[in-house]
Amino acid sequence: MRIPLPLLTSHPGGRSAMTCRYRCGDACFHEVPNTSANEYAGDVIARALSRRSVLRAGAVVGAAAAVGGGVPGSGGAVSAAAADKGGKHGHPGKHGKHGKPAKGLRFAPVAPNTADKVTVPEGYGQNVVIRWGEPILRGAPAFDPKRQSAKAQAGQFGYNNDFLTLLPLESHDGGRRGGGADQLLVANHEYTNEELMFAGYDPENPTREQVEIAWAAHGLSVVAVAGERRTGALRAVPRHPLNRRITATTPFEVTGPAAGSPLLRTKADPRGRRVLGTLNNCSGGTTPWGTVLSGEENFNQYFANADKVTDPERAATLKRYGVTGGASQRRWERFDDRFDLTKEPNEVHRFGWVIEVDPYDPDSAPRKHTALGRFKHEAAQPRLTPDGHAVVYMGDDERFDYFYKFVSKRTVRRGKSAEDRRHNMALLDEGTLYVAKLTGDSPAGQIDGAGTLPEDGEFDGTGRWIPLASGDRSFVEGMTAEEVYIFTRLAADRAGATKMDRPEDIEPSPRTGRVYVALTNNTDRGKAGKAGPDEANPRKANKHGQVLEFAERGDDPRSLRFSWRLFLVCGDPEDPGTYFGGFPKDQVSPISCPDNVTFDPYGNLWLSTDGNQLGSHDGLFGVAVAGPRRGEVRQFLTVPTGAETCGPLVQDRRVLVSVQHPGEVDGASVEKPASAWPDGPGTYVRPSVVAVWPKDGSGVGR
Ligand code: FEO
Ligand code: CA
Ligand code: CA
Ligand code: CA
């Protein structure tokens, strides 16, 4: 069955300029920040850093054997492909016309469409769990868009929900199950769009109240939820004692090896250990010890006056992080000096981290983990090795940037005491940070830039993890460990990491241990002066992205070697340059711009998209990664006009998604909305969390 593409609409896919402006600070319209030639010497940044370094690196990059028990010999890496039945090129049974989709994916796929609603498969119901502005804390008022205040917003659900996770309520909260609550929902609030929040908003002249509302609408929400027994519907439980708002002004503790660094000290925090707030929290992860990680992504856009920084070293590091220009998009620098680089030079170094929140302790200070490096963190989903070390995979979402992993030095404690919890929340403070370097196994001449498979039938190869720093020891010549953590992009440039097509969410399959990397797109690939196609990023002007699958050598997450291949090369299945794990291309849903990654209880991979370039609204897709249906992409839902699908969570009886930035279409405003979702014409468009469930009470996709 061919799943038809819809006719193009007036917004032919892709993100609106408005989303680019508010979400990423127009990242894609600026020069690519990674201008490094990799393994270069002598550019201004490298020179600057070597001059400043007080502690010379202990080892040269590439001396990987120094850490983690030695580098395995070359060759012999277990091929992820070979681990499949049928060997590298065999996909037995895949072309069979009969048989059902994989368990968990047995629903009628939603066709690509541009409907201004959440479109779900036939037989599925849905409900809005919580909307921007709904009160969650005691004393917070009901949402009144015409009478917004910072005080109200600080007690209400924030704007533009992204990452979502659900945690069990009874195990940690001493039985506080008020209001029928049975789970705890944690949501990121990535960014604000003032033009859709405030009637008559003047971007040149925001008021203090508008700015303070935006500060309060950023961050995270913790909110108890109650499931309805007979359906999969979920409702928020306001005023639950564990409900919490974390905002752009909540105090955070800086932890790990760079805490206290002179590069992190400010007038307000001369010790460099206490930061106010978190910004641009995109996706995240749930730790095995019951806390939540969240990535600070496009933090660069909040800082003003980079163009007035004259010191070449500083200017170079700012540029590498995309901190450029004069006034910031939201003009926050007018209301708080810390957003003005000329007044508070180090504040910008205090964002771009992975944060950890203990949702079971509403009074605890969340942490910024410096050991995980500073870049545009998309997400962080940890796994445990069999002996209990925590391993975190992380993408740096920028064209031509890298992906990383962190391996903890210490091991997790399984107990539930306060001491065990303290121990576990410090796990990510000590360990080794690595960056990925990939090598293809086909001759470069066979990578034609159009997506044509090389002669061996796959985009595949091997990779290694290059250590960057461990504790106070740097492995990057000319950079101290502190500098490696704070200027991780520069360290990875020098390490010769592989420039990827926007690494977003990265997650290991809980079933197979294989790891999946969503690479959203990179329309600059192959442009003059930029990196050309390689086997892991095989298409020039890559509009649709790809999903890379890798297996750590010996299935050991601490390994320094891995094998990889492209699992999906996304786009219109009729485009010969697409690939769906070898599954017949006329039987898959078209998918474009994969972003977030999760797994269902059966081990199927689910992908949400950001910026569909095929004329459809963004969506959520399930795909089998093993068995005869491997590569069969099936679309589960689409989101309303202007929205992005985020935060997917796929449970046995329910799918949860963030509908982020609905109505975010160029030219839209409160007065001229582009969407009427979720509450219909005449109401404010509101980012919201949606639950979807099978109406017959069975499981999702069964
Ligand atoms: Fe916030 Fe990389 O998406
Ligand atoms: Ca190959
Ligand atoms: Ca994302
Ligand atoms: Ca994820």
Side-chain angles (χ1 to χ4, degrees):
M1 147 204 62
R2 168 92 179 116
I3 300 166
L5 286 170
L7 293 172
L8 293 186
T9 64
S10 55
H11 297 282
R15 287 274 70 100
S16 70
M18 189 185 229
T19 297
C20 298
R21 191 159 63 243
Y22 282 97
R23 202 237 334 254
C24 315
D26 280 334
C28 294
F29 295 104
H30 291 141
E31 194 189 328
V32 168
N34 189 357
T35 53
S36 76
N38 263 348
E39 296 171 334
Y40 61 96
D43 96 357
V44 62
I45 298 167
R47 280 200 309 272
L49 285 168
S50 4
R51 265 207 319 278
R52 265 194 309 118
S53 293
V54 284
L55 181 77
R56 296 296 292 189
V60 178
V61 163
V67 219
V71 183
S74 61
V78 178
S79 158
D84 275 348
K85 271 194 185 145
K88 185 169 179 180
H89 305 298
H91 300 287
K94 215 168 266 186
H95 297 263
K97 287 203 170 98
H98 307 293
K100 294 177 182 167
K103 197 171 179 190
L105 301 177
R106 293 174 189 161
F107 50 79
V110 164
N113 69 81
T114 54
D116 187 27
K117 61 177 189 173
V118 176
T119 305
V120 300
E122 213 180 298
Y124 282 72
Q126 60 174 294
N127 79 297
V128 174
V129 180
I130 189 164
R131 298 160 174 79
W132 162 51
E134 285 187 27
I136 60 174
L137 300 189
R138 208 171 283 281
F143 180 64
D144 181 347
K146 297 196 170 74
R147 296 176 53 198
Q148 297 181 55
S149 72
K151 184 162 178 257
Q153 178 65 78
Q156 297 168 332
F157 197 65
Y159 200 80
N160 268 345
N161 35 265
D162 194 306
F163 175 73
L164 300 174
T165 189
L166 284 170
L167 293 159
L169 200 43
E170 49 198 346
S171 53
H172 296 267
D173 75 338
R176 290 192 283 182
R177 295 184 54 153
D182 50 16
Q183 295 186 87
L184 213 45
L185 173 70
V186 182
N188 282 353
H189 301 294
E190 188 176 15
Y191 70 101
T192 46
N193 184 330
E194 287 74 1
E195 292 183 63
L196 302 183
M197 293 170 72
F198 307 122
Y201 180 71
D202 176 0
E204 301 296 325
N205 293 295
T207 65
R208 172 170 283 278
E209 189 68 27
Q210 286 169 336
V211 167
E212 291 187 355
I213 292 168
W215 292 345
H218 275 72
L220 292 89
S221 289
V222 180
V223 54
V225 290
E228 226 173 63
R229 261 206 133 23
R230 277 174 301 173
T231 71
L234 208 57
R235 62 182 172 81
V237 180
R239 297 182 295 281
H240 189 278
L242 292 183
N243 287 1
R244 181 178 191 183
R245 279 303 322 282
I246 291 169
T247 72
T249 56
T250 303
F252 277 67
E253 190 187 336
V254 184
T255 64
S261 163
L263 289 163
L264 298 180
R265 296 177 194 165
T266 63
K267 289 186 200 90
D269 175 33
R271 292 171 59 242
R273 293 178 180 275
R274 185 175 179 272
V275 177
L276 293 186
T278 187
L279 291 172
N280 215 262
N281 298 75
C282 189
S283 193
T286 313
T287 68
W289 50 95
T291 61
V292 174
L293 303 180
S294 166
E296 296 181 333
E297 196 187 20
N298 293 293
F299 64 90
N300 54 310
Q301 65 182 300
Y302 301 95
F303 293 89
N305 298 328
D307 59 357
K308 297 190 183 66
V309 173
T310 49
D311 177 75
E313 295 174 18
R314 280 199 67 219
T317 60
L318 290 170
K319 192 166 172 231
R320 183 64 184 85
Y321 281 87
V323 186
T324 55
S328 73
Q329 175 63 35
R330 295 177 182 80
R331 310 292 197 262
W332 289 1
E333 65 276 12
R334 293 185 192 168
F335 303 94
D336 189 338
D337 283 352
R338 68 187 176 124
F339 297 111
D340 184 337
L341 291 157
T342 63
K343 293 180 178 155
E344 199 55 272
N346 286 339
E347 187 70 15
V348 68
H349 300 150
R350 292 144 63 90
F351 294 85
W353 302 103
V354 168
I355 65 153
E356 183 171 7
V357 175
D358 180 358
Y360 296 105
D361 181 358
D363 301 321
S364 59
R367 297 169 180 211
K368 299 205 178 197
H369 284 299
T370 59
L372 272 54
R374 175 172 166 268
F375 42 91
K376 291 187 179 178
H377 278 285
E378 171 76 16
Q381 177 57 53
R383 74 198 295 187
L384 292 178
T385 62
D387 55 353
H389 294 276
V391 176
V392 189
Y393 299 99
M394 300 171 287
D396 182 352
D397 181 8
E398 186 98 60
R399 293 165 293 164
F400 301 111
D401 257 294
Y402 313 127
F403 69 93
Y404 298 81
K405 88 168 170 183
F406 170 85
V407 181
S408 75
K409 182 176 169 191
R410 294 194 290 165
T411 56
V412 73
R413 287 195 193 160
R414 315 273 174 179
K416 300 253 187 264
S417 72
E419 181 46 37
D420 292 332
R421 209 153 174 77
R422 263 195 299 279
H423 169 92
N424 290 339
M425 280 195 72
L427 267 188
L428 304 183
D429 287 334
E430 272 184 284
T432 306
L433 180 64
Y434 303 88
V435 70
K437 183 173 180 74
L438 286 72
T439 308
D441 71 358
S442 293
Q446 290 182 13
I447 308 302
D448 68 358
T452 311
L453 287 171
E455 280 169 22
D456 69 355
E458 275 189 312
F459 297 114
D460 61 347
T462 55
R464 66 191 175 93
W465 293 109
I466 306 174
L468 299 176
S470 187
D472 60 6
R473 184 176 179 195
S474 166
F475 299 101
V476 181
E477 196 178 4
M479 292 180 79
T480 66
E482 265 177 29
E483 288 167 347
V484 170
Y485 298 119
I486 295 169
F487 304 118
T488 308
R489 282 185 167 182
L490 309 179
D493 292 344
R494 307 191 82 191
T498 299
K499 295 176 175 178
M500 306 297 293
D501 288 343
R502 289 187 57 195
E504 299 243 27
D505 205 352
I506 306 180
E507 278 201 34
S509 157
R511 286 274 175 112
T512 66
R514 287 188 201 163
V515 187
Y516 293 83
V517 185
L519 297 152
T520 293
N521 55 42
N522 182 356
T523 48
D524 275 26
R525 174 75 60 183
K527 274 193 185 163
K530 309 252 169 67
D534 59 34
E535 200 160 344
N537 305 278
R539 288 183 297 185
K540 286 185 191 164
N542 176 11
K543 279 164 63 179
H544 301 295
Q546 63 264 25
V547 177
L548 183 140
E549 174 188 67
F550 70 84
E552 300 273 24
R553 185 182 173 137
D555 289 330
D556 177 3
R558 297 174 75 191
S559 175
L560 300 181
R561 302 273 175 176
F562 58 93
S563 58
W564 60 267
R565 61 180 163 175
L566 296 190
F567 171 49
L568 302 177
V569 181
C570 301
D572 182 350
E574 286 190 350
D575 173 350
T578 57
Y579 177 77
F580 298 85
F583 200 77
K585 288 162 69 167
D586 59 352
Q587 293 174 39
V588 302
S589 297
I591 180 170
S592 172
C593 304
D595 184 335
N596 295 128
V597 175
T598 193
F599 292 88
D600 68 21
Y602 308 100
N604 299 305
L605 174 69
W606 290 65
L607 297 155
S608 60
T609 65
D610 171 16
N612 182 304
Q613 293 274 330
L614 293 168
S616 171
H617 283 179
D618 275 318
L620 177 66
F621 302 76
V623 53
V625 295
R629 318 290 291 205
R630 176 176 155 90
E632 184 182 18
V633 175
R634 296 170 73 80
Q635 180 154 13
F636 183 77
L637 61 73
T638 51
V639 292
T641 304
E644 168 184 348
T645 319
C646 302
L649 207 57
V650 184
Q651 301 180 316
D652 179 39
R653 292 186 59 219
R654 172 188 302 123
V655 171
L656 212 59
V657 288
S658 266
V659 176
Q660 200 194 39
H661 58 76
E664 194 167 66
V665 167
D666 297 344
S669 62
V670 166
E671 294 79 6
K672 279 196 306 180
S675 166
W677 192 86
D679 296 318
T683 63
Y684 272 54
V685 188
R686 293 164 78 183
S688 305
V689 177
V690 171
V692 183
W693 68 88
K695 285 180 186 164
D696 65 4
S698 64
V700 173
R702 267 196 274 162

